[in-house]
Amino acid sequence: MTELLGVLGRYALKKISSLGRSTIIFLHSIIAIPNLKKSFPLLVNQIYFVGVQSIIIILVSGLFIGMVLGLQGFNILKDFMATGSLGTLVALSIIRELGPVVTALLYAGRAGSALTAEIGQLKASEQLSAMEMMAVDPLRRIIAPRFWAGLISMPILSLLFCLIGIYGGKLVGVDWLGIDDGIFWSGMQASVDVMEDLGPMVIKAAVFGFVCTWIALFNGYDCRPTSEGISRATTATVVQSSLAVLGLDFILTALMF
Amino acid sequence: MKYLKTEIMVGIFMLLGIIAACVLALQVAGLVLNSKAELYTVYAKFENIGSLRLRAPVRIGGVAIGRVTAINLDGESLTPVVSIGIEKKFDKISSESKASIQTSGIIGEQYIAITPGFYDEDLGTTYLKNGDFIADTGSAVILEDLISKFVFNSSQDSSKADESAKSSDTESTKE
Amino acid sequence: MSEILDEDSLIKVNNVSFSYASKQIYKNLSLNIPKGKITAILGPSGTGKTTILRLIGAQLTPDEGTIEFDGINVHSLRRQELYELRKRMSMLFQSGALFSDMNVFDNVAFPVREHTKLPEELIHDVVLMNLEAVGMRAAAYLYPSELSGGMARRAALARSIALDPDLIMYDEPFVGQDPITKGVLVKLIADINKSLGKTSVVVTHDVKEILEVAHYVYILSEGTVLGSGTPQEIVNSNDPRVIQFIQGDFDGPYAFKLKGSQNYIEEL
């Protein structure tokens, strides 16, 4: 019994100390007066890796999720003679939930794991140490631009996901199943609000971007510098990010909608 | 020039984000910044507007001719007043037309359907113009009322009225 | 044995103890690194020779004791001050630790670009001069993945001297190199010390190579200094443990077999 308590205690201490470490790392990388001339190209480069290279997977997933929603929604609404509400159904479910959540999950899998592996690799090959010994703070040079890039990219990716998802739903509902174009859009326009739906969506996406990027960077920075350590850290990134996104989604939804 | 390709791609990426935000706001959320179609406003009093929402479509024979621009409550008569924006090109709508709140499908969105009335100058009817009231209105059909009408017959209706009176009594005693 | 006077030393390690988790690495370790000289730190594998460099660079913090760089206690500094101090030291990592996403030129230019506001033309010249000094000018536009181990280390050396530091620390520079490359690296270490007057600390277990150029030698074992002195003194030492290490005998005070808790026969 006491042994169990000891194990639990050690586990809790380990988790709490890693939370503390991650916060310190985060603060060190963020609370820095950025040298705009030097930091901006780094940021642009990272937005390219984190954001631009995730576009394809986001667009393809968004299109298919929108199409599936259109198809399923049509089949259900048909029974209630309410296919006119398909636009509302597709738009609200994508904008309020699926858009930010699925984008964040894909982002964690695509960009988050890559970030962890990259930072872990830099650590394993002593590049982070070398940078530190050259009096260049790796938190500012390596971590900070990636963090900001993630924070900026996620809302944009999420917006793109929503847009293509809604057009995917329209493709199925209007162009294939023959719902009236006007009804589809007007129902949607009547129920989707910029401040009540789109705003919270962008906020959600930014929060998810913040959390996923932070988790990914910390796992990479804190991993054991071996091949096994890197692969574990990468797995941990995807698992922790996914759990964090789903949990936070509930909290944010409860707060904002 | 090392970052050139990256810079262009990132620029396009940011641009796509802005475009997506605009399209979502305008097309999906129906945000009208400066609507091209100019509207004139007429008013209609309803007993009950059901779940009619702002920006719900206004239709004649199923064709959208405008939107609900505001929903207010008349302070004196305590009846809802709906402001209906109609596109200026539809200016030949008789003042005898009827406005009613209808639902697309059973659980669909609610909209205002305008049934055009007769037009005869001799009888003093005019075309609707800005600021007019539509006199003939039909309130929203409340699904719950429909069901209760269907389930209870008229005698039970009266007992139900009693019950509601009682319940309002109990409520007032609570206070 | 000759002792180093305090005022001549750039780095003073005073009674440092350090342990990783449960493993004690150093116990009351004290040593002085003389200014402007090449100091070799020798020792068998696993005695934590690299750790001493990381302690000096303040990447690790000792459990007890102090380390002074030019009279400044490196572990008492705040983050900002530490980064200022680190501009005066540089370290050549075992693998070279070149940034894999930049070519050799940008690697060498990296510290210059980060810490100075020199115009790009001047940086170009500085980088090429440093690369020429290590004989790597022709490889300026290759990426680290295209370099051999020896070339990577030379490029990394060019990067280490780019900011004109007071101290250069070499972490196992000869590991896994062919004899010619070893010779080249030994010559480079000597040249950089001689022509630029840089204090150099070389951590290695390649005795033969380093004794040719080192001015002063420390032999570490089991967390403390086993012996120290000029190469001459070390070679002529009559401490059996020093002799075994220098000559590479497999039998001697250091057992070939790890000490086990159980008797071999019993365990079988």
Side-chain angles (χ1 to χ4, degrees), chain A residues 97 204 248-257:
Chain A
E97 286 303 327
K204 260 190 187 181
L248 271 174
D249 183 50
F250 177 75
I251 296 172
L252 289 175
T253 305
L255 284 178
M256 292 191 299
F257 289 105

Side-chain angles (χ1 to χ4, degrees), chain A residues 41-42 44-45 47-48 51-52 55 77 80-82 84-85 88 91 95 152-154 156-160 162-163 166-167 182-183 185-194 196 198 201, chain B residues 2-3 5-31 53-57 59 62 64 67 104-110:
Chain A
L42 293 175
V44 168
N45 238 8
I47 292 180
Y48 180 76
V52 175
I55 281 190
L77 292 173
F80 299 98
M81 302 290 286
S85 302
T88 313
I95 288 175
I152 293 170
S153 299
M154 252 300 289
I156 294 179
L157 290 174
S158 189
L159 282 167
L160 292 175
C162 290
L163 189 64
I166 288 166
Y167 273 90
I183 290 177
W185 288 117
S186 66
M188 189 187 298
Q189 287 168 1
S191 50
V192 177
D193 189 83
V194 175
E196 280 170 25
L198 285 179
M201 186 275 274
Chain B
K2 190 180 150 206
Y3 290 119
K5 184 194 158 216
T6 321
E7 275 170 11
I8 291 173
M9 294 301 285
V10 171
I12 293 173
F13 178 65
M14 303 300 276
L15 207 64
L16 278 178
I18 294 167
I19 292 172
C22 293
V23 174
L24 280 175
L26 295 176
Q27 175 76 352
V28 175
L31 182 73
R53 288 184 62 167
L54 214 57
R55 289 198 311 280
R59 298 191 173 115
R67 307 190 153 274
S104 44
I106 293 181
I107 53 168
E109 283 294 319
Q110 288 195 307

